[in-house]
Amino acid sequence: MKKDKKAKANNQVEEPIILDIPEEEIWTYQIEGLAAPHVNKPYKHFTFKKIIFIISIVVAVSLSVYFSILLIANKDAFTYEKLDNGNYQLTKFSNTGFIEEIDIDYVTSVEYDKENKDPETNFTLVKNEKEKVTEIKQFAVNEDNVLKVVNIGPDVEKIDGKAFYSCWALERIEVDENNKYYCDIDGVLYNKDKTEIIMYPCNHDEYLRQKYGYEAEIFREEVTEEYRKQIQTYVVPSTVKTIGEMCFNYANLRDIYLPEGLETIETLAIFKLHEPQAEDWNVASLENIYSYKPKGVVADSTFTSQEALGEVYNSLPEGLKYIGSDAFSYNQALTYVYIPESVTHIGHHAFWDNVYKEDGNLKGLVEINVAKSEEEFDADEIGDQWAPQYDYLLFKKTINVNYSAQRK
């Protein structure tokens, strides 16, 4: 019985409470125990409270900015690791946001002038000349949007090929002439005997524009032949045997001349060359890969004429042996590639995403020409999906490979 009564009690429906409020009092009616409505009535001390609220927000934002600046100021811009021989390796450079040029020669620190509140000028770079820097670690300078010039000191003997990765503002890497291991040609980094080109800075074209007197970036539709030769053409010297890993990444180049005698093009060496545009940063620039058979030593990287280079042909160079993974990926302005018989290794995705679809047609690198027969080619070290493939939604197409082809 008790259980039934409890169940019955639980099933009872309470009568709804209905407030009988006169229509003319609907916006001012006060329920007992609750505050009266503030309709058309000013809040007490409203202006004062508003001022306090605004001041609180301003103080909070100011403190946030202050501590952010303080954090940057107290963060070490240069991080080093001491080597077994007592010298140092630069492991990380964290830009304060205003450092446009650095020397890599001695252990360096940033000292701030507390009296100067201008973050662009309130610091100096101080060197300890008792502590030499002789190595630069991979990704030591990474994703930097401010740094323009790097000066390599005389005692630096080891630079990782990925030391200056995606430094978008970097225009020049200059090497002390007394360095026994490295040198530069007009701001492009090489090993000392110029058998390897290591790094073509991402923003080197800006330096060249200043050098040749162009005031600003010239976009694709405005490019003259003279501008193309001076800014967007690069001649790899005839002494070079290796194009280093990530060497030409994101460079603004349309034409590259490679010497016969070049043997190795490393992983990501000529990856996604692009032309900055007013509305679209991601416009492919690389249109031609030429090779040349020099009459003598070609030491200058500046293009003057094809006649000055000797015999020139549209192809990868005869004698080339090794093409690394993603070596030429994302170069959709490229339309012709010929792979000579000397090539015995092609890494995976070496020419990936060099084809695209426009107006219903495939464009870009729609075919590749190979000197070897298909049987000879298959016997080499060939990585997966080395040839371009158009792949979008349900439409997939691998481009044609013409074996036993003749060079154009």
Side-chain angles (χ1 to χ4, degrees), residues 283-354:
V283 175
S285 64
L286 182 63
E287 295 177 2
N288 298 295
I289 300 171
Y290 296 108
S291 293
Y292 69 96
K293 188 174 182 177
K295 298 174 182 177
V297 175
V298 175
D300 190 359
S301 61
T302 305
F303 179 81
T304 54
S305 68
Q306 290 193 349
E307 291 73 19
L309 297 176
E311 180 186 343
V312 175
Y313 51 90
N314 195 346
S315 166
L316 295 174
E318 298 289 344
L320 180 66
K321 300 175 183 178
Y322 183 98
I323 300 173
S325 301
D326 283 293
F328 294 94
S329 292
Y330 297 96
N331 289 304
Q332 293 185 349
L334 195 61
T335 58
Y336 180 80
V337 166
Y338 181 86
I339 299 176
E341 194 169 359
S342 56
V343 173
T344 58
H345 177 99
I346 301 178
H348 66 80
H349 300 86
F351 296 90
W352 187 250
D353 204 17
N354 284 357

Side-chain angles (χ1 to χ4, degrees), residues 149-154 156 159 164 171-201 204 207-208 211 234-235 237 239-240 299-301:
V149 181
V150 173
N151 300 306
I152 306 296
V156 175
I159 303 174
F164 308 102
E171 299 174 10
R172 309 192 315 275
I173 301 173
E174 299 192 345
V175 183
D176 189 289
E177 62 182 8
N178 295 315
N179 190 296
K180 298 178 181 179
Y181 306 93
Y182 297 97
C183 69
D184 74 277
I185 298 178
D186 201 20
V188 177
L189 182 63
Y190 288 78
N191 65 348
K192 190 65 174 182
D193 60 5
K194 300 175 185 173
T195 56
E196 180 179 0
I197 176 172
I198 300 168
M199 173 58 65
Y200 182 99
H204 191 62
Y207 159 71
L208 294 175
K211 176 180 177 179
Y234 195 77
V235 177
T239 53
V240 171
D300 190 359
S301 61

Side-chain angles (χ1 to χ4, degrees), residues 131-273:
E131 298 177 333
K132 291 182 180 178
V133 177
T134 57
E135 296 185 10
I136 307 173
K137 190 177 181 180
Q138 66 174 350
F139 306 121
V141 188
N142 183 27
E143 296 281 350
D144 192 295
N145 295 312
V146 178
L147 187 66
K148 293 182 180 181
V149 181
V150 173
N151 300 306
I152 306 296
D155 299 306
V156 175
E157 57 188 52
K158 184 178 180 181
I159 303 174
D160 190 278
K162 300 183 287 296
F164 308 102
Y165 178 68
S166 296
C167 294
W168 309 114
L170 188 60
E171 299 174 10
R172 309 192 315 275
I173 301 173
E174 299 192 345
V175 183
D176 189 289
E177 62 182 8
N178 295 315
N179 190 296
K180 298 178 181 179
Y181 306 93
Y182 297 97
C183 69
D184 74 277
I185 298 178
D186 201 20
V188 177
L189 182 63
Y190 288 78
N191 65 348
K192 190 65 174 182
D193 60 5
K194 300 175 185 173
T195 56
E196 180 179 0
I197 176 172
I198 300 168
M199 173 58 65
Y200 182 99
C202 285
N203 203 31
H204 191 62
D205 54 308
E206 174 59 29
Y207 159 71
L208 294 175
R209 277 190 293 275
Q210 295 172 16
K211 176 180 177 179
Y212 290 106
Y214 296 97
E215 293 184 358
E217 173 67 86
I218 294 178
F219 301 115
R220 182 176 292 271
E221 63 274 10
E222 303 168 346
V223 168
T224 64
E225 279 301 312
E226 191 68 16
Y227 181 90
R228 181 166 179 155
K229 289 179 181 179
Q230 293 175 332
I231 312 300
Q232 295 184 304
T233 302
Y234 195 77
V235 177
V236 176
S238 60
T239 53
V240 171
K241 303 293 183 184
T242 300
I243 297 179
E245 189 175 12
M246 299 182 178
C247 176
F248 284 101
N249 278 10
Y250 309 111
N252 180 8
L253 291 171
R254 288 198 185 189
D255 303 303
I256 294 179
Y257 287 81
L258 306 176
E260 279 197 3
L262 179 69
E263 298 176 353
T264 301
I265 299 175
E266 290 284 6
T267 297
L268 295 162
I270 306 176
F271 175 88
K272 202 171 187 176
L273 275 63

